[in-house]
Amino acid sequence: MPLGLTKKILNESVLTDSFDRRSFVLGVGGLSVGMLLAGRMGFIAIAENDKYATESESNRVNLTLIPPRRGWILDRNGAPLASNQADFRVDIIPERLQDSERELETLAKLLNLDDAKMRDLRKRIDESAGYAPIEVASGLDYDAFASVSIRLPELPGIVPQRGFSRYYPTGPSVGHLIGYVGAASREEFEEDRNPLLITPGYKIGKDGLEKQFEQTLRGKPGARRVEVTASGRIVRDLSTRPDVQGNAVQLTIDGPLQDYAARRLGLESGSVVVMDCASGDLLCMASMPSFDPNSFSDGIGSVEYAMLSENDRVPLRNKVLKGLYPPGSTVKPMHAMAFMHEGIDPNESIICGGGRRIGNRFFNCWSNHGRVDMAKGIYQSCDSYFYHFAQKVGFDKVAAYARQFGLGQEFDLPVASQFYGTVPDSAWKLKKYDQQWQPYDTVNASIGQGYYLASPLQLAVMATRIATGRHFEPALIKTDKQKPAPSLDFKSDEIAYIRQAMSDVVNGPGTAGRARLPIENVLMAGKTGTAQVVSLSVSNGKTGPWKYRDHGLFVFFAPFDNPRYAGAVVIEHGGGSGAAYPIARDVMTFMFDPQKGMDALLAYEKEWGGTAQQRLQRRYAEYARAAGETIPASPPLDREIQARVDAEARIEAQRSEEFARNNPRRVRRPDVDTSVNAQAQNSADDAQ
Amino acid sequence: MSSIIPTPIARQPWSMLIPLILLTCFGSAVLYSAAGGNLSPFADTHLLRFAIFMVVALVISTFSRDFAKFAAYPAYVVILIMLVAVEAAGAIGGGSQRWLEVGPIRIQPSELMKPAVALALARFYDTLPTGMFSSWRALLPAGVIITMPVLLVLMQPDLGTALAILFSGAVVMFLAGLPMSWFLAAGAAAAVAVPLAYNFALKPYQQRRVTTFMDPESDPLGSGYHITQSKIAIGSGGFAGKGFNEGSQSHLQYLPEPHTDFVFATMAEEWGFLGGLFVLVAFGLILHWGLSVARNAQNRFDRLLAAGMVATMFFYIAINLMMVMGMAPVVGIPLPFMSHGGSSMMTNMMCLGALMMVYRWNTQGRGGGLVQS
C-alpha cells in the first residue's frame, strides 16, 4: 500500500497538473464566452439601438384612422334626408384571421347571424383583397358588441368598434334619389388608393347622390394612436386627432313631400316629380317601389338582391330618371301652345267624327267629340284636333317646341345617368330607321304615341314650363343665386288660355274630374295621358295581366292661375290615367294642406297594410322565409347591379319603341277617366 | 475577516453569496415588472423559493465527504429510476410529461439528474485506478453513466436538458484527465457527424427549426418570432434601458415568456446594457468562485465534483443568454437565479450547495490555521 501509494501519488500529480491546466483552459473559455455575450449585447443594445427602438415603437403604437363622419344630406329646409347614427359594429379583416372557420363560427354564435348572412359573408371573404375590411354587422346593441370585444384575444382579425353608420330617416322614400353607402370594393380601392377606403367602418357612396357627392360628403379622417398588446388589445390612447365631418349637401327636395309622395304611390309602380314654379327647384323625385338604403349599408344581401331583382316592378330602377314612357295625351297642351305660336287661332275648330281623315286614311279618335276648338281639344283630349293641326303645322316644327319644353333633353343634374327619351321627327326617323316620315307618324306623335318617349322628370319640366311660360332648368342642389329663367316667348294671354283649358280638365268638363283638389280657392290644372304598351289584340289595356296594362300619366300645376308647383305622375301599367291623377291630387293637397293630405294617405295605408317601409320589411321577411336555402349566394357588386338595372331599363324603353314600330297605325284612345267616361270609352273600343 | 463578525458567518463564501443575493434580488425586481408591477405571482414566489433552496444548499454544504461519496451512486440510480417512471407515467397517461407528482410537489427528475451525473462521474473517476485513465475502462462506464439519462431525457423529449447533462458529463471527463486525443477525435467526429445528421437525418421542418436562429425572419411567427422580439427588447433598451416598469415589449406581451426563458430580455429592455453587464459580472463572480473552489480542492473527487457543478451552471447561463441574443436556437433553458421557476432554482441551488460543501472541505482540510491567520 505505501508502495502503491507512491506510485499513485506520482500519477495523481500528473492528473492534478492536467486538471489545473485543463480547468484553466475551460475557465478562459468560459470567460471568453462571457466577453462574447457582453460584446453581442453591446452591439444589439448600443450599435443597433436605433433600429430596435423603432421596431419596439412600431410594435407598441398602433395608428388607426378614425373614419370621418359623413356629411349630412339635407332637404331644402335643413331637415336630414341622410344623417349619421352612433352605433356599434363589427368588421373582419380577412388577412388577419388565423383560423377563419372557427372564428366565423364564434361570430355567428355571438351575433346570431343566420345561414344566408354567413354565406354572403364567406363569399365576400373569399373574394376580398384580404386587407380590406368586411362588415359583419352594424347597429349592434351594446351587449352583442361587448360579447365580441371581450373575446377579442381569441378572435384575431375581427374588429369591433364604435362608430357612425348612415341613417336615412325616411328609408325607401329616398332610396333612388340619395342612393346608399357601402364598404369600398377592391376595384374602388384600386382606383383611389386612399387608405381611408380600407379603414374598418368607412363607407363610400355607392349610388345616387351619395356617390355623386362622395368627395364633398367624405370629410377628413381623424387618427388615433393607441398602445396595443401583441394580441391587438388596446391598452390606452396615446393621442387622438378628431375627424373632420364632411360637408353637408343641401338639396332642393322637400323632405316631407318626398316621403309623402313615395308613400302615396302605395302599391303602384311609378314616380312623382314636383317642381317649384318660382325657381325650378325639384321638390320631390319619388320613385317606387324602392329599396331601403338603411339595409344596404353592409352590402346588398343575396336574399335581398334576389327579392328586389325578381320583382317585376323593378325596385332597383330609379323611374324618375330611367323610366321612359310614351307621354300620351300629356303632350297635348304643349302641342297646342306650339300650334298657337305657329299662328293657329285657338278658336279655329274642326269636327271630330269619332276620328279624322288625314291624308287618305281615317284615324280614330277615342270618342266622337263633334265641334272641337283648342280648349276642348285639351280638356276633352280630342285626338282628331291634334291629328289635324299637327298635320297642318308639320310635326318637325312641333317637335322643336317639344324639345324647348324639355322633352328629349338631358338636364344638368348631379345624377349618374338620366335617359333622355325620344322626340321623333323626320330627321330622327331617317337617321334611325332610314325611312321617310309618314302622315301616320305625325298622327301618332301628335297625341304623344308612336316613337315618343319621355321620362317623368321631363314631363315635370314640361309642366313647369307650360305653367310659367319660362325656361326653368330643374335644380337638385340648393343654391342662393337664382338661375335665370328666360321667357319662352309666349304671350301671356296664350299662356292663360292653356292654363284655363288645363284647369278645365280637372275643374271643368274635362277628363279628370276626380282630380279636383279638396281645398277651396286652389284649383289644380292638369292633363291626363294614357300610354298603350301592347296592341289591342293582346289586351284591352285596362284589365288582365299587369304587364299589358296601359301606363297612366298626369302632368299638373297648381294653383292654375298663379302656378306655384308643377309636376308629373307616371304609374306604370296603371291601366290608364285614372291611376295617376288621384295621386297628383293628394300630393298637391298635401302641399297646400298637409293635414288633409296626410289623412287621405293614412286611410290608404291602413288598406295597403302599412307604410312602404313596413310593407318592404314584411315582404323581405316572408321572402327570406319562403326562399331560404334556394337563393344563390351571389350578391353581385354594386356597380354590376347598377349596370344591370340600367340595361334592363334601356331594354324596357326599347320595347316601347318596337311596339310603336310594329303598330304604326294602331292608334287607340289616348286617355280617359275610366269612371266618368266609361261609356264613351266602351263605344270607342267598339268602334275600333 | 474582522473578529467582530462571528466565525460561522465569517466562514461563509461571501465572494459568491453577495453577487448571488444581489442577482436574485435583481431577478425579483425584473419579475416584479414582468408581472405588470406586482409582487405576485412571480417575484414573491421567486424570493420564497430562493430562501427555501438556500436552506437546502446550506444543509447540503454540511455533508461530509464520506457521505457524499457514499450517496453518489444510490442518488444517481434513484433519479434514473424516477426518469423511467416519468416515461412510464407519460406512456400510461397518454402524452409526454417531464415531471412526477408527489403530493403537492412536482419533481422534475431530469433537473435533478444534472448534478447527479456530475456527482456519479466524480465518484467513478475517484475510484478508478490512475493507471487506467487512458484505457477503455475509463471511458465505457462513464459513457454509460452519461448516456442512460441522456437517452431517457431525449425521449421526453427535452433536447436542452439532454445537452446540459451531456455537457457537464463531458466537462467532468475532460477534467478527469482522459487522453486529450480522445476529445480531439470526438470533436472531429462531431464536426463530421453533425452536418451529416443535419442533412440526412433531419426532416426539412426540423432543419428549419435548427437554423431559424440564424435568420429569424424566415420563420416570423414560430420560434423566429421569439428571437426577433427578444432582440427588439434588448436592442430597444439601449445603454441605460427604458426604466423600471417601462418595458413595452414585455408589458404588452410582444416578448414571449417574459418571466421565464426570456427574462434577460425583459431585464435588458428596462435596465439596458448596464443591467446586462451587471448580470454578466455577477454570474462571472459566482462561476469564478466555483472554479476556484474546484481548483483549490484537495483530491480528485472534490475537484471533479466542484467542476461538474460549475459546468452545469455555466451551461444554463451561456445557452440561455446566447438564445435570447439570437446566437443559439430556442431550447427552453431558463436563466439561473433570474427566471421564475422552481426546477431551475432547485438545480442551481443544489449545485451551489455542493460547491459550498467542497469549499468547506477545502477550508477544513487546511486546518484551523487559515481562520486563525
Side-chain angles (χ1 to χ4, degrees):
Chain A
M1 194 63 188
L3 199 82
L5 188 72
T6 45
K7 193 183 172 191
K8 192 178 177 183
I9 287 167
L10 194 79
N11 288 331
E12 181 70 40
S13 73
V14 172
L15 287 178
T16 309
D17 284 351
S18 152
F19 177 87
D20 284 346
R21 267 184 283 110
R22 291 186 180 185
S23 64
F24 181 75
V25 170
L26 288 186
V28 171
L31 185 67
S32 48
V33 168
M35 305 293 280
L36 175 74
L37 288 170
R40 170 75 174 169
M41 184 173 174
F43 177 70
I44 296 178
I46 296 167
E48 293 194 304
N49 174 249
D50 285 351
K51 172 185 157 193
Y52 289 117
T54 311
E55 287 188 24
S56 153
E57 199 64 6
S58 77
N59 266 350
R60 179 176 81 96
V61 176
N62 201 338
L63 186 79
T64 48
L65 288 176
I66 302 173
R69 286 156 297 156
R70 218 170 154 75
W72 287 18
I73 298 178
L74 305 171
D75 86 341
R76 61 187 296 110
N77 300 314
L81 297 174
S83 61
N84 302 316
Q85 231 179 8
D87 82 337
F88 295 107
R89 47 183 293 110
V90 174
D91 294 79
I92 284 184
I93 298 176
E95 68 181 2
R96 294 197 199 150
L97 291 175
Q98 268 166 24
D99 180 353
S100 60
E101 253 331 287
R102 181 187 58 75
E103 290 182 33
L104 288 179
E105 293 295 326
T106 313
L107 266 193
K109 254 200 308 256
L110 293 177
L111 300 178
N112 266 327
L113 303 175
D114 59 23
D115 287 350
K117 182 94 185 146
M118 290 306 288
R119 237 177 18 230
D120 287 357
L121 192 59
R122 287 207 174 85
K123 178 155 189 284
R124 289 212 182 98
I125 290 173
D126 287 346
E127 288 172 353
S128 82
Y131 48 75
I134 292 169
E135 177 169 321
V136 180
S138 59
L140 296 170
D141 60 33
Y142 180 76
D143 287 345
F145 172 77
S147 72
V148 176
S149 302
I150 282 170
R151 303 184 65 171
L152 216 47
E154 46 177 308
L155 297 170
I158 286 168
V159 190
Q161 58 178 359
R162 318 176 63 137
F164 290 91
S165 66
R166 204 60 162 162
Y167 176 60
Y168 306 93
T170 49
S173 299
V174 296
H176 291 139
L177 174 66
I178 298 205
Y180 55 96
V181 295
S185 69
R186 185 203 297 228
E187 289 78 7
E188 279 155 343
F189 176 63
E190 275 158 12
E191 279 164 23
D192 173 12
R193 296 199 79 89
N194 184 340
L196 180 59
L197 294 194
I198 54 168
T199 304
Y202 184 71
K203 304 281 179 59
I204 66 167
K206 291 284 192 177
D207 197 6
L209 295 170
E210 292 275 25
K211 187 176 184 181
Q212 293 301 311
F213 288 95
E214 173 61 25
Q215 297 303 329
T216 313
L217 295 167
R218 181 173 286 181
K220 291 206 176 68
R224 181 171 171 221
R225 287 175 70 236
V226 289
E227 195 171 273
V228 291
T229 67
S231 55
R233 190 171 58 80
I234 292 169
V235 178
R236 58 180 166 155
D237 284 309
L238 297 173
S239 64
T240 304
R241 189 186 73 216
D243 64 310
V244 178
Q245 182 164 13
N247 293 319
V249 170
Q250 188 166 23
L251 306 181
T252 59
I253 296 292
D254 181 330
L257 174 67
Q258 172 83 16
D259 189 42
Y260 181 89
R263 284 165 64 184
R264 180 60 186 84
L265 280 165
L267 307 176
E268 302 283 7
S269 167
S271 34
V272 177
V273 183
V274 179
M275 288 171 67
D276 187 326
C277 288
S279 59
D281 285 354
L282 284 157
L283 300 176
C284 160
M285 290 174 80
S287 161
M288 295 298 274
S290 177
F291 52 85
D292 186 350
N294 290 309
S295 73
F296 276 15
S297 65
D298 53 344
I300 302 175
S302 56
V303 173
E304 198 161 26
Y305 176 68
M307 176 182 88
L308 294 173
S309 61
E310 278 173 20
N311 190 333
D312 57 3
R313 276 129 170 104
V314 283
L316 290 170
R317 184 187 304 165
N318 184 354
K319 300 181 185 93
V320 169
L321 300 170
K322 293 172 192 171
L324 288 180
Y325 314 92
S329 303
T330 58
V331 294
K332 282 176 180 167
M334 183 267 289
H335 285 179
M337 289 182 89
F339 299 162
M340 274 199 277
H341 216 245
E342 290 298 321
I344 305 293
D345 179 355
N347 296 320
E348 190 179 341
S349 39
I350 57 137
I351 302 296
C352 167
R356 194 159 176 85
R357 179 168 296 278
I358 303 294
N360 54 5
R361 279 187 60 91
F362 186 79
F363 290 93
N364 287 325
C365 179
W366 64 274
S367 182
N368 189 337
H369 295 102
R371 173 172 291 276
V372 181
D373 62 1
M374 187 178 282
K376 189 176 180 186
I378 291 171
Y379 66 70
Q380 275 289 315
S381 199
C382 174
D383 294 344
S384 303
Y385 181 88
F386 290 91
Y387 299 158
H388 176 78
F389 286 104
Q391 179 68 18
K392 188 168 175 191
V393 169
F395 197 75
D396 283 0
K397 281 184 183 162
V398 176
Y401 286 94
R403 293 192 189 96
Q404 216 180 348
F405 276 86
L407 301 188
Q409 306 302 301
E410 263 186 304
F411 305 106
D412 180 24
L413 291 175
V415 294
S417 70
Q418 45 182 318
F419 289 3
Y420 48 82
T422 311
V423 177
D425 63 8
S426 56
W428 175 85
K429 193 180 178 192
L430 195 63
K431 187 170 176 228
K432 177 105 192 216
Y433 292 110
D434 196 21
Q435 282 174 2
Q436 291 303 315
W437 188 261
Q438 300 296 329
Y440 61 72
D441 288 320
T442 298
V443 163
N444 285 338
S446 70
I447 57 164
Q449 299 277 6
Y451 297 113
Y452 236 134
L453 280 177
S455 70
L457 175 65
Q458 290 169 341
L459 294 178
V461 170
M462 181 182 75
T464 308
R465 292 181 184 173
I466 291 172
T468 59
R470 305 176 79 85
H471 182 100
F472 278 110
E473 280 291 331
L476 193 49
I477 301 305
K478 200 175 177 204
T479 52
D480 292 333
K481 54 173 188 246
Q482 184 91 43
K483 257 195 185 170
S487 167
L488 284 167
D489 199 21
F490 286 92
K491 294 192 204 75
S492 57
D493 61 327
E494 291 173 337
I495 296 168
Y497 183 91
I498 298 294
R499 282 177 179 172
Q500 183 59 52
M502 287 177 76
S503 174
D504 286 343
V505 171
V506 178
N507 308 301
T511 51
R514 281 198 300 141
R516 190 186 179 94
L517 295 185
I519 298 170
E520 264 185 80
N521 304 327
V522 181
L523 294 181
M524 179 168 76
K527 182 67 196 84
T528 54
T530 297
Q532 196 180 341
V533 292
V534 291
S535 70
L536 269 181
S537 60
V538 176
S539 165
N540 68 6
K542 301 280 160 209
T543 55
W546 180 78
K547 266 279 171 198
Y548 296 155
R549 294 186 204 167
D550 298 339
H551 296 313
L553 301 91
F554 191 66
V555 297
F556 58 91
F557 52 86
F560 89 98
D561 48 354
N562 179 27
R564 285 171 60 193
Y565 308 112
V569 175
V570 177
I571 303 300
E572 293 187 339
H573 307 296
S577 61
Y581 58 74
I583 293 174
R585 174 196 67 209
D586 289 350
V587 166
M588 278 297 105
T589 305
F590 179 75
M591 286 310 276
F592 291 100
D593 185 348
Q595 190 54 52
K596 204 171 256 180
M598 212 59 200
D599 291 345
L601 174 62
L602 291 176
Y604 282 120
E605 281 185 341
K606 201 171 281 174
E607 207 175 297
W608 295 332
T611 64
Q613 191 152 21
Q614 290 162 344
R615 293 197 307 272
L616 190 63
Q617 272 161 9
R618 208 166 43 236
R619 277 255 317 285
Y620 177 77
E622 277 165 22
Y623 188 91
R625 199 167 46 242
E629 293 298 307
T630 62
I631 301 291
S634 58
L637 288 172
D638 304 271
R639 58 175 62 181
E640 286 173 14
I641 292 175
Q642 285 154 22
R644 202 174 297 176
V645 168
D646 268 19
E648 284 169 5
R650 274 176 218 288
I651 291 168
E652 191 81 30
Q654 196 68 37
R655 197 172 294 150
S656 174
E657 191 175 310
E658 271 164 30
F659 169 68
R661 185 159 167 70
N662 296 332
N663 301 277
R665 293 172 199 87
R666 301 221 35 119
V667 174
R668 199 180 50 144
R669 78 234 171 273
D671 73 307
V672 274
D673 181 327
T674 46
S675 59
V676 175
N677 294 303
Q679 203 153 18
Q681 186 190 108
N682 286 339
S683 60
D685 282 350
D686 293 341
Q688 288 171 359
Chain B
M1 288 293 161
S2 163
S3 57
I4 303 166
I5 299 167
T7 318
I9 292 176
R11 237 189 4 231
Q12 298 304 322
W14 289 107
S15 59
M16 174 276 289
L17 285 176
I18 289 171
L20 174 69
I21 292 168
L22 287 178
L23 188 66
T24 308
C25 291
F26 187 45
S28 303
V30 174
L31 292 175
Y32 174 85
S33 169
N38 285 309
L39 272 178
S40 72
F42 306 141
D44 52 356
T45 52
H46 186 68
L47 287 173
L48 182 69
R49 282 173 185 157
F50 179 68
I52 291 171
F53 288 117
M54 181 55 95
V55 172
V56 172
L58 288 172
V59 170
I60 290 173
S61 74
T62 62
F63 291 164
S64 69
R65 184 181 287 122
D66 290 339
F67 178 76
K69 285 186 178 179
F70 163 76
Y73 288 141
Y76 173 81
V77 171
V78 166
I79 296 168
L80 198 64
I81 291 169
M82 284 164 71
L83 271 178
V84 175
V86 168
E87 280 306 312
I92 293 164
S96 71
Q97 64 178 53
R98 295 178 180 180
W99 57 82
L100 288 174
E101 302 208 13
V102 183
I105 302 169
R106 274 185 176 177
I107 298 176
Q108 203 168 325
S110 57
E111 283 293 328
L112 290 169
M113 191 46 115
K114 292 175 194 172
V117 162
L119 177 64
L121 283 175
R123 176 78 182 120
F124 167 69
Y125 286 115
D126 177 48
T127 52
L128 189 70
T130 32
M132 292 183 182
F133 266 74
S134 54
S135 78
W136 62 272
R137 289 183 59 180
L139 182 65
L140 200 62
V144 171
I145 288 175
I146 296 172
T147 312
M148 283 196 297
V150 165
L151 287 179
L152 284 169
V153 173
L154 271 181
M155 283 164 67
Q156 286 185 354
D158 183 356
L159 182 66
T161 305
L163 285 175
I165 296 171
L166 202 61
F167 177 80
S168 45
V171 166
V172 172
M173 289 167 79
F174 180 70
L175 292 176
L178 300 190
M180 196 63 174
S181 54
W182 293 3
F183 293 96
L184 295 178
V192 174
V194 166
L196 283 179
Y198 175 78
N199 280 324
F200 297 109
L202 294 186
K203 298 198 171 72
Y205 76 92
Q206 290 170 318
Q207 292 177 353
R208 265 202 304 283
R209 205 171 287 175
V210 173
T211 52
T212 298
F213 76 95
M214 291 191 244
D215 180 18
E217 278 71 33
S218 69
D219 183 17
L221 293 177
S223 60
Y225 174 82
H226 297 203
I227 293 173
T228 305
Q229 295 300 334
S230 170
K231 280 163 75 179
I232 291 175
I234 297 170
S236 64
F239 184 72
K242 294 176 181 170
F244 186 48
N245 264 333
E246 296 293 327
S248 62
Q249 285 288 101
S250 53
H251 287 239
L252 301 177
Q253 293 133 35
Y254 290 97
L255 191 62
E257 305 287 330
H259 61 288
T260 57
D261 292 359
F262 289 90
V263 73
F264 184 82
T266 307
M267 182 284 300
E269 187 183 16
E270 299 189 354
W271 301 89
F273 183 61
L274 289 179
L277 277 191
F278 171 79
V279 170
L280 284 175
V281 168
F283 278 126
L285 290 174
I286 294 168
L287 292 174
H288 175 259
W289 171 82
L291 196 61
S292 68
V293 167
R295 287 169 66 86
N296 291 334
Q298 290 152 358
N299 62 47
R300 198 191 303 156
F301 175 73
D302 299 5
R303 275 198 292 272
L304 293 182
L305 175 60
M309 298 302 141
V310 174
T312 303
M313 291 170 64
F314 174 81
F315 188 81
Y316 267 101
I317 297 162
I319 296 297
N320 177 276
L321 293 183
M322 286 166 77
M323 175 180 86
V324 297
M325 294 187 204
M327 299 162 77
V330 175
V331 280
I333 288 183
L335 187 64
F337 314 120
M338 290 192 74
S339 290
H340 182 256
S343 297
S344 101
M345 181 67 91
M346 178 185 71
T347 309
N348 286 289
M349 289 309 286
M350 284 171 82
C351 289
L352 279 182
L355 281 169
M356 285 158 74
M357 174 176 75
V358 177
Y359 174 79
R360 193 175 53 81
W361 297 342
N362 290 351
T363 48
Q364 273 175 352
R366 280 174 238 166
L370 260 177
V371 176
Q372 276 169 0
S373 68

